[in-house]
C-alpha cells in the first residue's frame, strides 16, 4: 500500500526510512529463531561443548546481519527505480471528473486536481495552509461531525479551519494525517464537469481564494450547437448559442463590400471621409446596391445574416454621423444647423438627412428579414459584436475584443465589452429562472432561489463594477467624458429618412404612405437586453406605469424573435412570486419551508434592486454628470424617469414576511427601512456622575459615545465637587478650547496665549490632584487638553507648553489612552445636545391630527478647529453614527446569547438587524453625499490635517491620514462588526499595483495603532468579540455540522450571514467614497484597495446549502 502511486501525481508516496529500519530488524531476527532453539537443545544435552555453542551463535548473527543489509539495499534500489518509472509515465487525462489543462506543476507538490478527486466518504482529503491531509480516518471522531469535513473534502479548507479554531491536540492529530505539500502554483486552472446537464463548463477560478467571474462557457462546450437556433435561450442565457462568426464569414457573399469597409470605419467614418468616398465611388455604390437585392440573402446562414446586419448598421452610422461633431473637421457642412444637442455637440440636422439607396436598400432588406428596426441595436453592438482572442479561453476583458468599432478609442471597446461580460455571467441567472419556473418541488425551488440570488449577486458585485476599472497608470478604461462627448453622439437615437423606403406604417410624425417620411430610430440601449424583462417576468415584478410599459414594449422590437417568444412564454405562466403566495399558510399556521421560500425570494428582489441602482449609477456617471444635466435621455431615445419607476415597482414585489421572535419585519411591501431617530437626552439637572467602568459602556443609551456630553465645568455635576482653584483652571481650559479657531489661523499667537496662562493653570501640575479627579472630569480634561495640544502644534510649534503637556500625560495614563488627539477625543467625547423645537409642515400636522410640541434633541460638536460647515458635517455625521451604534451593539449581544443557547432563530434575527443597520447608514450617507457639495471637502481636510496629524508621536503622511479617515481612527465600530462576522477588516493580500499593496499595509498599521487609542471599555468589548469560537461565522459552521439542523435553518443562517456581510461591504464602500471626496489624488488607489477588500469579503460568503449538497453526493458515492 505504501508503494501505490496515482496517475495524476508525479511524486511518489514512498516507504519512510524508519519503516525500512524496522523491516531490516525483523529480517535480522528471523535467523535468530533457530539459534535460540538450538541453545535450548544444547542446554538439555550435556555432550555439546561451550565452543560449539559460541561458533553457532557467531555464524547465525553474521547471517542475520548480512540478510538485513541485503534487504535494506534492495528496498532502496527498488524505491529509486520505481520512482523513475512512475515519473516517466505520461499523465492520464481521463481519471475522475477533472481534466487537467496543460500546466507545469511545481515539483514535489500535490496538484489541485489530485486533491479535488479525493472528495468522497471513502477517501477525503482537505488542504490547510498549503498542506494536504487525509482526514478519512478521523471522520467519525471529528467533534464537529463528519458532515463539516465532507463539505470541504477535495477543497481548500484553511479559512473555515482557522475560523472555527482548534486545540493543540487537534493540531497534533492533523499533523499525523498529513499526506504532503500542495502544488504552489497559484495560477493553476482546472476544467470541472457540470452536475445535472453533464456538459463541461469552464470555472475560471484561482484555486487559492476563487475568482469573481465564472468566465462563461467555452466555444466548444455546446455540443450540437450548429443545429440550434442562433438566439435560442438555453445554457448560455441570452448570448448566442455559438460564438459570433468573424467578418471573414461575409467574404464570397454580396455583403463582402461591407466586410471590406468594416476596418476603415474608425479612421474614415469619424472625420466624414467615408461619406465623401462612398458618394464619389460609383463602383462601390454598385456593389452596395447589389447587396440590397433579395437574392443576396439566399444561401446565407443565420450567423452570416446577423453579421451582415451588424456591419451594414455600423456603416450606416459612420456615414450618417461621421464628421458631424462640432470639434471635428467633417465634410457635412451642408447639413450644419449649429445647435447644441443633449448628449454631445452635433452639426447635423437629422430632419434634412436622407440615407442614400446604396446603404438604405441593404439595411432595410436585412432589417425586414430579422424583424428588427434598421438601426444598430443592443444585439449588433453587444451580443454579436465580440470574438475570443484565445478560442478556448473564457469570456473576460482580457480575452475578448469587439469585432467592429466606430472609433479607435479604448473607451468604446471597454464600454461594450463590459456588457458582453454581464450577459455572459448572467447565463446562470437565466438557467436558474428556467428551472425555478418548471420545478414542482419546494426544496428544489429553495435551492434554485439561492442559486439565482448568488448569480445576481455575482453580476452586481463582480460584473457591473468592471465599467469603472482603471489601467495600470490610473486612467479609466472607459472615461465618462469620452463616452458622453465622442461615442454617445454617434450611437444615440435620431430621425432618419431612407431613400426608397416604401413602408406605409405610421411614423412618429403621424404621416403615412410617404416613402421619404423619416423614421425615428432608437439607438442601442441596455433596455433592449432580454435579461431584466426575464427577471421581472419570473419574479412577478409588475409595471405600474403605462408609459413604462409602452417603452419596454417598444424596446422588445429590437430583440431576436427567439427572445421575444421566450419572454412571452414566461409572462403567460405563473411567476415564482405567485407560486409562493399561492402556498402561503393560513393565518396563525407556521410553515418554516414557506417562510424560507419567502425570505429567499425577497433576497432575490434585493439583488434585482442592487442591479437597477447600479444601472442608475451608470446613467448618473456617464450621462448626467459629464453633461451637467438634471434630466437626461438615454441612447435609446427615452427618458430615464422609467428607471426610477422600475425601482419603485421592484420594491413592491417583496412578499411580506411573517414576524416572530426570530425574524425581522424589515422587508415590508413598501420596502421602507426603519427611520433613523435620536433618543431623548436626560435633562441637565438629572445628569448623574457615573462610575469609571460605565463612562464608556457600549450598552448605554448613547451607544459608542461617552456616557455624558461635553459641557462647561461650572454646568457639569462633577464641577460642583471641585475646589475653587481647580474649577478656575477647568474654566480656563474651556476658554482656551473655544479660542482655537481664531488664534491658530496663520500661525497665530495661540501658543503664546496658552503659555501666558501657566500660573493660573499651576494646580494642574499636581499629579495627585489630576489623577484624583472623577472619571467625567478626567475625560473632560483629556479631550480639552488634547485639542489645545493639537492647536499649539498646528500653529508651528513642536510641542505644547509644559503647563499643558504634563497634565495631559498624567490624565492620559489615568484613562488608559495615549496623550494626543484621536477619534475618541475628536468625536466620541466631543458632543453636546441642543434642544430645538421640532418643525413639521402644516400638511403633515393636519394629517397627524395633533400638534407635536415635544422638544427634539440635536447633537452638535463642542470643540472645533476650523469652524466651517464641512468640519461640522464630518464630525456631526459620525456622532450620529456612533450614537445609533447602540442598535448594532444590542444586535451583537442578542447574537451572542443566541449562540450560547443554540437559538438559530434569534441568531438569524441578530444578523438581519446588523445588516439593516448597515443599510440604513448607507442610505444616510448617500443622502448627505447627494445633498452636499463636495468641492470644498478636499480643502477642508487639508486645513484640518495639521490638527489631526501632528499631535501624535509622528506627523502622518497623506496615505496614513486617508487610512485614518477610512477606519475612523480609534473607533471600535467597524472592527466590532468584522469580529462579530468572524472576518478581518483588512486581511493581507497580494496586489498587482505596489502602491495599492503599500496602502493596504498602511491601513493595517493604522488599524493596529488605533486600538491603543480606544477607551478601555471599547477595547475590552472588542477583545470579547475576538475570542475564539464567538463569531457568527463559527456558529454557522458549527450548526452545519449538527445532525438535526434542517435545510430551512441552514438556508436562513446562510442568507442572514451573507446579507449582513453584503451590507457591511456596502457601508465600507461609502467610506471609500468619503475618502475619495477628501483625497481625490488617492481615489484610484483606494478604489483598487476597496476592490481587493471586497474580493476577500466575497470569498467569505457562506455556502451552507451547497456544502450540504456536496456532503449528500459524497455519502451517495
Amino acid at each position: 500500500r505504501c508503494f501505490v502511486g496515482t496517475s495524476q501525481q508525479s511524486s511518489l508516496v514512498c516507504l519512510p526510512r524508519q519503516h525500512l529500519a524496522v523491516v531490516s530488524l525483523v529480517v535480522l531476527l528471523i535467523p535468530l529463531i533457530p539459534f535460540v532453539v538450538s541453545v535450548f537443545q544444547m542446554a538439555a544435552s550435556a555432550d555439546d561443548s561451550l565452543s560449539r555453542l559460541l561458533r553457532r551463535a557467531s555464524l547465525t548473527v553474521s547471517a542475520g546481519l548480512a540478510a538485513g543489509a541485503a534487504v535494506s539495499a534492495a528496498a532502496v534500489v527498488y524505491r529509486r527505480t520505481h520512482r523513475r518509472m512512475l515519473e516517466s509515465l505520461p499523465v492520464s487525462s481521463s481519471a475522475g471528473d477533472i481534466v487537467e489543462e496543460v500546466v507545469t506543476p511545481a515539483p514535489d507538490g500535490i496538484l489541485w486536481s489530485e486533491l479535488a478527486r479525493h472528495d468522497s466518504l471513502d477517501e477525503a482529503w482537505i488542504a490547510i495552509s498549503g498542506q494536504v491531509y487525509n482526514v478519512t480516518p478521523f471522520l467519525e471522531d471529528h467533534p464537529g461531525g463528519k458532515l463539516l469535513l465532507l463539505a470541504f473534502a477535495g477543497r481548500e479548507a484553511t479559512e473555515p479551519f482557522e475560523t472555527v479554531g482548534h486545540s493543540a491536540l487537534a493540531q497534533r492529530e492533523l499533523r499525523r494525517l498529513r499526506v504532503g505539500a500542495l502544488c504552489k502554483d497559484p495560477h493553476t486552472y482546472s476544467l470541472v464537469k457540470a452536475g445535472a446537464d453533464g456538459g463541461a463548463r469552464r470555472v475560471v477560478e484561482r484555486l487559492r481564494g476563487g475568482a469573481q467571474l465564472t468566465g462563461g462557457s467555452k466555444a466548444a462546450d455546446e455540443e450540437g450547437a450548429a443545429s440550434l437556433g442562433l438566439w435560442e435561450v438555453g445554457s448560455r442565457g441570452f448570448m448566442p448559442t455559438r460564438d459570433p462568426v468573424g467578418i471573414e464569414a461575409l467574404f464570397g457573399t454580396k455583403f463582402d463590400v461591407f466586410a471590406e469597409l468594416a476596418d476603415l470605419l474608425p479612421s474614415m467614418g469619424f472625420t466624414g471621409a467615408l461619406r465623401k468616398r462612398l458618394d464619389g465611388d460609383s463602383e462601390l455604390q454598385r456593389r452596395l446596391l447589389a447587396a440590397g437585392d433579395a437574392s443576396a440573402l439566399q444561401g446565407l446562414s443565420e450567423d452570416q445574416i446577423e453579421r451582415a446586419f451588424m456591419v451594414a448598421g455600423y456603416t450606416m452610422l459612420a456615414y450618417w454621423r461621421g464628421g458631424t461633431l462640432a470639434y471635428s473637421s467633417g465634410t457635412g457642412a451642408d447639413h450644419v444647423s449649429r445647435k447644441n444637442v443633449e448628449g454631445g455637440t452635433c452639426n447635423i440636422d437629422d430632419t434634412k438627412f436622407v440615407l442614400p439607396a446604396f446603404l438604405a436598400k441593404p439595411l432595410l432588406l436585412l432589417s425586414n428579414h430579422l424583424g428588427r428596426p434598421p438601426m444598430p441595436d443592443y444585439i449588433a453592438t453587444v451580443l454579436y459584436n465580440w470574438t475570443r482572442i484565445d478560442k478556448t479561453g473564457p469570456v473576460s476583458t482580457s480575452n475578448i475584443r469587439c469585432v467592429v468599432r466606430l472609433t479607435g478609442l479604448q473607451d468604446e471597446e471597454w464600454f461594450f465589452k463590459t456588457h458582453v461580460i454581464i450577459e455572459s455571467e448572467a447565463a446562470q441567472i437565466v438557467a436558474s429562472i428556467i428551472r425555478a419556473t418548471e420545478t414542482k418541488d419546494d426544496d428544489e425551488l429553495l435551492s434554485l432561489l439561492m442559486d439565482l440570488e448568488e448569480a445576481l449577486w455575482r453580476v452586481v458585485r463582480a460584473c457591473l463594477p468592471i465599467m469603472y476599472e482603471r489601467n495600470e497608470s490610473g486612467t479609466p478604461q472607459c472615461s465618462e467624458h469620452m463616452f458622453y462627448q465622442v461615442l454617445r453622439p454617434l450611437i444615440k437615437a435620431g430621425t432618419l429618412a431612407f431613400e426608397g423606403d416604401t413602408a406605409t406604417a405610421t411614423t412618429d410624425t403621424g404621416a403615412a404612405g410617404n416613402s421619404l417620411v423619416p423614421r425615428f430610430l432608437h439607438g442601442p440601449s441596455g433596455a433592449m437586453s432580454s435579461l431584466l424583462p426575464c427577471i421581472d417576468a419570473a419574479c412577478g415584478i409588475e409595471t405600474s406605469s403605462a408609459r413604462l410599459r409602452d417603452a419596454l414594449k417598444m424596446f422588445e422590437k429590437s430583440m431576436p424573435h427567439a427572445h421575444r417568444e421566450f419572454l412571452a412564454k414566461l409572462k403567460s405562466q405563473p411567476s415564482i412570486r405567485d407560486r409562493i403566495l399561492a402556498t402561503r399558510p393560513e393565518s396563525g399556521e407556521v410553515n418554516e419551508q414557506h417562510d424560507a421560500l419567502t425570505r429567499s425570494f425577497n433576497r432575490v428582489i434585493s439583488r434585482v434592486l442592487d442591479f437597477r441602482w447600479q444601472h442608475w449609477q451608470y446613467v448618473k456617471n456617464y450621462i448626467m454628470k459629464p453633461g451637467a444635466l438634471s434630466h437626461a435621455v438615454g441612447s435609446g431615445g427615452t427618458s430615464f424617469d422609467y428607471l426610477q419607476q422600475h425601482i419603485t415597482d421592484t420594491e413592491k414585489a417583496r412578499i411580506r414576511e411573517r414576524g416572530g421572535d426570530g425574524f425581522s419585519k424589515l422587508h415590508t411591501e413598501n420596502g421602507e427601512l426603519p427611520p433613523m431617530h435620536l433618543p431623548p437626552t436626560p435633562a441637565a439637572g438629572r445628569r448623574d456622575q457615573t462610575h469609571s467602568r460605565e463612562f464608556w459602556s457600549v450598552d448605554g443609551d448613547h451607544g459608542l459615545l461617552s456616557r455624558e456630553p461635553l459641557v462647561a465645568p461650572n454646568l457639569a455635576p462633577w464641577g460642583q465637587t471641585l475646589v475653587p482653584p481647580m474649577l478656575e483652571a477647568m474654566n480656563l481650559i474651556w476658554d482656551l478650547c473655544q479660542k482655537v479657531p481664531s488664534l491658530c489661523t496663520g500661525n497665530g499667537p495661540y501658543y503664546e496665549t496658552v503659555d501666558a496662562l501657566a500660573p493660573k493653570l499651576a494646580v494642574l501640575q499636581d499629579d495627585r490632584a489630576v489623577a484624583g479627579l472623577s472619571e467625567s472630569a478626567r475625560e473632560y480634561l483629556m479631550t480639552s487638553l488634547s485639542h489645545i495640544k493639537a492647536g499649539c502644534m498646528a500653529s508651528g510649534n513642536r510641542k505644547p507648553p509644559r503647563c499643558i503637556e504634563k497634565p495631559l500625560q498624567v490624565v492620559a495614563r489615568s484613562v488608559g489612552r495615549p496623550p494626543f488627539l484621536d477619534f475618541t477625543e475628536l468625536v466620541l467625547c466631543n458632543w453636546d445636545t441642543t434642544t430645538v423645537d421640532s418643525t413639521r409642515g402644516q400638511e403633515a400636522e393636519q394629517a397627524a391630527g395633533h400638534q407635536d410640541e415635544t422638544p427634539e434633541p440635536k447633537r452638535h460638536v463642542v470643540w472645533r478647529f476650523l469652524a466651517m460647515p464641512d468640519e461640522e458635517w464630518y464630525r456631526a455625521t459620525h456622532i450620529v453614527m456612533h450614537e445609533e451604534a447602540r442598535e448594532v451593539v444590542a444586535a451583537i449581544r442578542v447574537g451572542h446569547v443566541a449562540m450560547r443557547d443554540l437559538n438559530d432563530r434569534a441568531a438569524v434575527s441578530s444578523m438581519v438587524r446588523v445588516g439593516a443597520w448597515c443599510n440604513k447608514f448607507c442610505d444616510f450617507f448617500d443622502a448627505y453625499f447627494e445633498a452636499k457639495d463636495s468641492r470644498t471637502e478636499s480643502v477642508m481636510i487639508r486645513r484640518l490635517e495639521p490638527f489631526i496629524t501632528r499631535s501624535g508621536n509622528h506627523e502622518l503622511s497623506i496615505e496614513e491620514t486617508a487610512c485614518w479617515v477610512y477606519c475612523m481612527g480609534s473607533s471600535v465600530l467597524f472592527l466590532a462588526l468584522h469580529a462579530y462576522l468572524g472576518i478581518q477588516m483588512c486581511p493581507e493580500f497580494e496586489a498587482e499595483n505596489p502602491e495599492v499593496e503599500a496602502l493596504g499595509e498602511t491601513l493595517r498599521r493604522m488599524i493596529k495603532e488605533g486600538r491603543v487609542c480606544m477607551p478601555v471599555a471599547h477595547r475590552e468589548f472588542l477583545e470579547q468579540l475576538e475570542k475564539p469560537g464567538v463569531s457568527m461565522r463559527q456558529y454557522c459552521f458549527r450548526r452545519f455540522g449538527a445532525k438535526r439542523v434542517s435545510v430551512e435553518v441552514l438556508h436562513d443562517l446562510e442568507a442572514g450571514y451573507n446579507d449582513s456581510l453584503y451590507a457591511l461591504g456596502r457601508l465600507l464602500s461609502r467610506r471609500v467614497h468619503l475618502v475619495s471626496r477628501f483625497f481625490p489624488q488617492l481615489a484610484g488607489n483606494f478604489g483598487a484597495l476597496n476592490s481587493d477588500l471586497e474580493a476577500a469579503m466575497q470569498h467569505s460568503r457562506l455556502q451552507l446549502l451547497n456544502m450540504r449538497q456536496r456532503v449528500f453526493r459524497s455519502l451517495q458515492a
Side-chain angles (χ1 to χ4, degrees):
R1 189 170 65 89
C2 295
F3 284 99
V4 175
T6 58
S7 59
Q8 282 292 89
Q9 184 179 348
S10 59
S11 60
L12 176 66
V13 181
C14 300
L15 196 65
R17 298 180 185 270
Q18 296 86 344
H19 292 189
L20 289 176
V22 173
V23 171
S24 302
L25 181 60
V26 172
V27 174
L28 172 63
L29 293 176
I30 290 176
L32 293 180
I33 295 176
F35 169 72
V36 174
V37 174
S38 64
V39 169
F40 281 103
Q41 290 176 350
M42 286 186 294
S45 175
D47 298 334
D48 290 340
S49 63
L50 181 61
S51 59
R52 292 181 58 192
L53 177 63
L54 294 176
R55 186 169 57 253
R56 179 174 294 186
S58 62
L59 291 175
T60 305
V61 171
S62 300
L65 291 175
V71 171
S72 300
V76 171
V77 172
Y78 176 78
R79 180 175 60 176
R80 293 179 178 176
T81 305
H82 194 60
R83 179 191 288 116
R84 288 196 298 268
M85 179 183 69
L86 286 181
E87 289 179 346
S88 64
L89 292 176
V91 178
S92 172
S93 61
S94 60
D97 288 340
I98 296 184
V99 181
E100 193 68 28
E101 289 189 9
V102 181
V103 193
T104 303
D108 300 328
I110 298 175
L111 295 179
W112 288 90
S113 56
E114 177 67 16
L115 169 67
R117 268 196 298 275
H118 296 78
D119 61 348
S120 65
L121 184 64
D122 296 330
E123 199 166 9
W125 288 9
I126 61 175
I128 299 174
S129 300
Q131 301 295 321
V132 178
Y133 301 92
N134 182 2
V135 297
T136 310
F138 194 63
L139 288 177
E140 299 298 336
D141 299 330
H142 185 236
K146 66 180 179 181
L147 298 183
L148 192 56
L149 287 179
L150 286 175
F152 292 97
R155 293 173 174 264
E156 169 69 41
T158 304
E159 192 273 335
F161 179 82
E162 294 177 348
T163 296
V164 174
H166 289 80
S167 63
L169 181 62
Q171 299 281 356
R172 288 197 298 270
E173 180 69 19
L174 187 67
R175 288 194 292 270
R176 187 181 65 84
L177 302 174
R178 181 180 178 275
V179 177
L182 197 59
C183 176
K184 296 181 180 179
D185 180 11
H187 302 291
T188 305
Y189 293 93
S190 59
L191 211 62
V192 183
K193 181 177 289 186
D197 56 6
R201 64 181 178 89
R202 182 182 181 88
V203 180
V204 183
E205 180 182 12
R206 293 188 185 273
L207 295 168
R208 288 172 57 190
Q212 300 177 14
L213 304 178
T214 64
S217 56
K218 294 185 64 176
D221 280 348
E222 296 289 337
E223 298 181 2
S227 62
L228 298 175
L230 181 62
W231 299 109
E232 187 172 329
V233 182
S235 61
R236 296 180 67 159
F238 295 111
M239 295 280 281
T241 55
R242 45 193 176 270
D243 283 8
V245 298
I247 296 295
E248 63 276 3
L250 298 180
F251 293 153
T253 70
K254 292 186 178 181
F255 292 97
D256 58 357
V257 60
F258 287 101
E260 296 171 4
L261 293 173
D263 291 336
L264 303 176
L265 296 183
S267 58
M268 299 185 65
F270 184 71
T271 62
L274 179 69
R275 186 188 306 117
K276 184 177 181 180
R277 176 178 176 181
L278 295 184
D279 288 344
D281 193 330
S282 59
E283 176 60 21
L284 269 178
Q285 293 180 13
R286 182 191 65 77
R287 294 176 63 191
L288 290 169
L289 278 172
D293 189 78
S295 61
L297 299 180
Q298 295 179 0
L300 295 186
S301 66
E302 190 178 4
D303 306 69
Q304 290 175 307
I305 295 175
E306 196 64 63
R307 177 59 68 215
F309 176 75
M310 177 260 195
V311 180
Y314 266 76
T315 306
M316 178 266 285
L317 284 178
Y319 183 91
W320 176 22
R321 297 270 172 74
T324 60
L325 294 179
Y327 45 82
S328 65
S329 55
T331 59
D334 52 331
H335 304 295
V336 170
S337 65
R338 297 293 178 185
K339 62 180 181 179
N340 187 355
V341 183
E342 183 274 317
T345 303
C346 190
N347 290 342
I348 193 167
D349 187 356
D350 290 342
T351 60
K352 299 179 181 180
F353 193 86
V354 178
L355 191 69
F358 56 79
L359 288 179
K361 189 174 180 182
L363 192 58
L364 290 175
L365 174 68
L366 293 166
S367 170
N368 294 332
H369 179 82
L370 294 174
R372 306 206 303 264
M375 175 76 173
D377 47 25
Y378 188 79
I379 299 174
T381 57
V382 175
L383 296 182
Y384 214 75
N385 187 23
W386 60 278
T387 184
R388 299 179 200 252
I389 299 174
D390 176 6
K391 301 304 180 183
T392 63
V395 178
S396 63
T397 55
S398 60
N399 194 48
I400 63 171
R401 60 183 295 271
C402 293
V403 178
V404 180
R405 304 169 191 79
L406 287 172
T407 70
L409 293 173
Q410 165 69 20
D411 308 78
E412 177 188 4
E413 176 94 359
W414 195 265
F415 182 82
F416 290 127
K417 282 201 306 186
T418 300
H419 287 83
V420 173
I421 293 173
I422 291 173
E423 294 287 346
S424 175
E425 294 294 323
Q428 298 181 40
I429 297 177
V430 180
S432 298
I433 285 177
I434 293 175
R435 294 177 60 191
T437 53
E438 294 175 351
T439 184
K440 304 299 182 182
D441 183 73
D442 286 346
D443 290 336
E444 184 180 7
L445 178 60
L446 179 62
S447 177
L448 289 171
L449 284 175
M450 293 292 292
D451 292 342
L452 177 57
E453 191 264 344
E454 182 78 16
L456 281 166
W457 169 82
R458 184 183 299 108
V459 169
V460 173
R461 304 301 295 176
C463 298
L464 296 182
I466 293 176
M467 187 70 75
Y468 303 107
E469 286 188 4
R470 295 173 177 262
N471 56 26
E472 295 180 356
S473 62
T475 306
Q477 298 280 15
C478 180
S479 167
E480 64 271 20
H481 300 287
M482 286 293 186
F483 170 81
Y484 185 80
Q485 299 292 347
V486 179
L487 179 60
R488 191 167 183 269
L490 299 178
I491 63 174
K492 67 178 185 178
T495 304
L496 180 66
F498 292 79
E499 183 179 351
D501 185 4
T502 58
T504 58
T506 303
T507 65
D508 292 349
T509 59
N514 189 339
S515 60
L516 293 182
V517 171
R519 300 187 182 205
F520 183 78
L521 303 175
H522 299 278
S525 169
M528 297 175 180
S529 169
S530 305
L531 179 59
L532 281 175
C534 167
I535 296 173
D536 290 344
C539 296
I541 300 175
E542 299 179 352
T543 306
S544 59
S545 170
R547 180 185 174 190
L548 176 58
R549 288 194 298 270
D550 294 341
L552 295 177
K553 189 174 182 180
M554 173 189 61
F555 284 127
E556 282 188 8
K557 297 178 181 178
S558 298
M559 298 178 185
H561 280 295
H563 289 191
R564 290 182 236 173
E565 293 174 356
F566 175 79
L567 292 177
K569 178 182 177 181
L570 204 59
K571 294 176 182 177
S572 64
Q573 59 191 19
S575 66
I576 300 174
R577 185 177 190 272
D578 294 336
R579 173 178 171 178
I580 296 176
L581 289 176
T583 59
R584 170 177 286 183
E586 297 182 2
S587 178
E589 294 184 4
V590 177
N591 188 325
E592 290 189 358
Q593 187 178 51
H594 185 274
D595 292 342
L597 285 172
T598 300
R599 289 188 293 275
S600 186
F601 176 81
N602 285 339
R603 273 180 283 277
V604 170
I605 296 298
S606 297
R607 300 292 85 80
V608 177
L609 284 169
D610 292 339
F611 191 106
R612 290 202 154 106
W613 276 116
Q614 290 276 10
H615 188 201
W616 177 242
Q617 294 301 317
Y618 277 6
V619 174
K620 292 170 60 177
N621 291 326
Y622 283 89
I623 298 178
M624 301 178 70
K625 179 181 175 181
L629 304 171
S630 59
H631 178 79
V633 175
S635 57
T638 59
S639 171
F640 283 115
D641 292 342
Y642 75 88
L643 279 179
Q644 298 285 355
Q645 181 61 46
H646 226 158
I647 290 173
T648 303
D649 292 336
T650 305
E651 287 276 7
K652 293 179 180 179
R654 294 187 190 274
I655 300 176
R656 182 181 295 275
E657 298 182 17
R658 179 174 61 87
D661 58 349
F663 302 98
S664 170
K665 298 181 180 180
L666 293 175
H667 297 304
T668 57
E669 292 184 355
N670 57 13
E672 294 181 356
L673 291 170
M676 187 173 64
H677 58 84
L678 296 177
T681 304
R686 293 164 51 194
R687 290 172 178 158
D688 299 325
Q689 183 171 338
T690 59
H691 195 269
S692 59
R693 64 188 180 189
E694 298 292 334
F695 191 86
W696 287 108
S697 173
V698 297
D699 301 305
D701 293 337
H702 299 307
L704 298 179
L705 299 180
S706 58
R707 177 59 71 87
E708 295 181 10
L710 190 67
V711 296
N714 56 347
L715 299 178
W718 52 266
Q720 301 173 7
T721 63
L722 299 179
V723 296
M726 181 63 74
L727 181 59
E728 181 184 2
M730 291 289 196
N731 286 327
L732 286 176
I733 294 296
W734 180 274
D735 294 337
L736 287 174
C737 289
Q738 289 182 321
K739 295 178 180 178
V740 169
S742 61
L743 298 183
C744 288
T745 305
N747 293 332
Y750 188 70
Y751 183 93
E752 292 76 10
T753 303
V754 175
D755 195 28
L757 295 176
K760 297 182 179 180
L761 299 177
V763 67
L764 297 179
Q765 304 303 308
D766 186 350
D767 296 355
R768 292 187 177 181
V770 173
L773 294 173
S774 66
E775 181 72 10
S776 302
R778 283 184 284 127
E779 287 293 345
Y780 159 82
L781 204 56
M782 176 69 186
T783 302
S784 302
L785 292 178
S786 60
H787 274 79
I788 295 175
K789 176 181 178 180
C792 292
M793 298 184 70
S795 301
N797 301 278
R798 299 185 60 180
K799 61 180 182 178
R802 180 171 175 79
C803 62
I804 298 297
E805 179 70 13
K806 184 180 178 182
L808 180 58
Q809 295 281 351
V810 175
V811 75
R813 286 196 300 269
S814 69
V815 298
R817 300 198 298 274
F820 54 79
L821 182 76
D822 204 89
F823 193 84
T824 302
E825 294 75 29
L826 196 70
V827 172
L828 301 185
C829 198
N830 186 24
W831 64 276
D832 194 10
T833 301
T834 302
T835 304
V836 296
D837 292 335
S838 58
T839 57
R840 304 175 65 180
Q842 184 176 2
E843 296 179 0
E845 291 294 339
Q846 294 176 356
H850 65 279
Q851 180 70 29
D852 188 359
E853 299 179 353
T854 304
E856 178 184 351
K858 180 180 179 181
R859 305 289 180 255
H860 67 83
V861 181
V862 179
W863 301 142
R864 302 170 180 85
F865 292 123
L866 305 179
M868 63 178 296
D870 282 330
E871 180 191 16
E872 185 78 15
W873 167 81
Y874 170 71
R875 297 212 229 178
T877 53
H878 287 84
I879 288 174
V880 172
M881 184 179 188
H882 284 77
E883 182 167 33
E884 288 290 305
R886 65 182 181 274
E887 298 177 4
V888 77
V889 171
I892 290 174
R893 296 295 198 198
V894 170
H896 280 179
V897 174
M899 287 187 278
R900 182 197 63 192
D901 298 339
L902 299 182
N903 188 338
D904 296 321
R905 301 177 70 86
V908 172
S909 176
S910 170
M911 291 185 285
V912 168
R913 292 180 184 278
V914 168
W917 185 89
C918 293
N919 286 323
K920 179 172 65 173
F921 270 93
C922 286
D923 300 336
F924 178 70
F925 277 106
D926 286 343
Y928 269 100
F929 288 150
E930 291 293 334
K932 187 179 178 303
D933 191 345
S934 64
R935 289 175 292 184
T936 58
E937 290 175 358
S938 60
V939 179
M940 180 272 295
I941 200 65
R942 285 199 298 269
R943 302 286 190 268
L944 197 59
E945 270 185 298
F947 296 96
I948 61 177
T949 66
R950 297 178 185 174
S951 62
N953 296 329
H954 65 280
E955 186 171 346
L956 302 181
S957 64
I958 184 174
E959 290 81 9
E960 290 173 328
T961 307
C963 292
W964 184 88
V965 171
Y966 173 80
C967 64
M968 299 186 296
S970 57
S971 170
V972 74
L973 178 57
F974 285 157
L975 290 175
L977 288 171
H978 282 79
Y980 167 75
L981 295 177
I983 58 176
Q984 297 182 22
M985 184 170 178
C986 185
E988 295 186 4
F989 58 88
E990 295 181 2
E992 297 179 359
N993 188 344
E995 294 181 357
V996 177
E997 190 167 353
L999 190 62
E1001 182 62 32
T1002 302
L1003 178 57
R1004 284 189 289 273
R1005 179 164 49 82
M1006 296 302 296
I1007 292 174
K1008 183 178 180 180
E1009 293 177 358
R1011 299 171 70 103
V1012 182
C1013 302
M1014 292 179 186
V1016 175
H1018 290 191
R1019 280 203 302 270
E1020 293 174 350
F1021 173 64
L1022 182 60
E1023 290 168 358
Q1024 291 175 359
L1025 297 180
E1026 293 175 340
K1027 287 181 179 179
V1030 298
S1031 73
M1032 193 57 70
R1033 185 173 185 83
Q1034 294 170 315
Y1035 176 77
C1036 292
F1037 279 132
R1038 289 198 300 269
R1039 297 302 289 159
F1040 173 84
K1043 295 182 179 179
R1044 297 186 178 181
V1045 177
S1046 65
V1047 174
E1048 289 78 17
V1049 171
L1050 286 182
H1051 164 269
D1052 289 338
L1053 289 172
E1054 174 184 337
Y1057 182 88
N1058 290 342
D1059 282 352
S1060 58
L1061 193 70
Y1062 176 73
L1064 178 58
R1066 287 187 65 211
L1067 184 57
L1068 292 177
S1069 69
R1070 271 50 176 189
R1071 302 301 303 178
V1072 175
H1073 189 181
L1074 181 67
V1075 171
S1076 300
R1077 289 164 69 112
F1078 283 3
F1079 306 93
Q1081 64 273 39
L1082 297 178
N1085 287 342
F1086 244 98
L1089 174 64
N1090 184 62
S1091 299
D1092 291 330
L1093 296 181
E1094 276 197 350
M1097 188 173 291
Q1098 291 165 9
H1099 181 60
S1100 300
R1101 283 171 61 91
L1102 292 180
Q1103 295 183 335
L1104 300 180
L1105 292 186
N1106 289 337
M1107 289 164 55
R1108 176 67 66 90
Q1109 292 173 359
R1110 292 201 301 267
V1111 170
F1112 287 160
R1113 287 196 296 267
S1114 299
L1115 294 176
Q1116 291 173 358

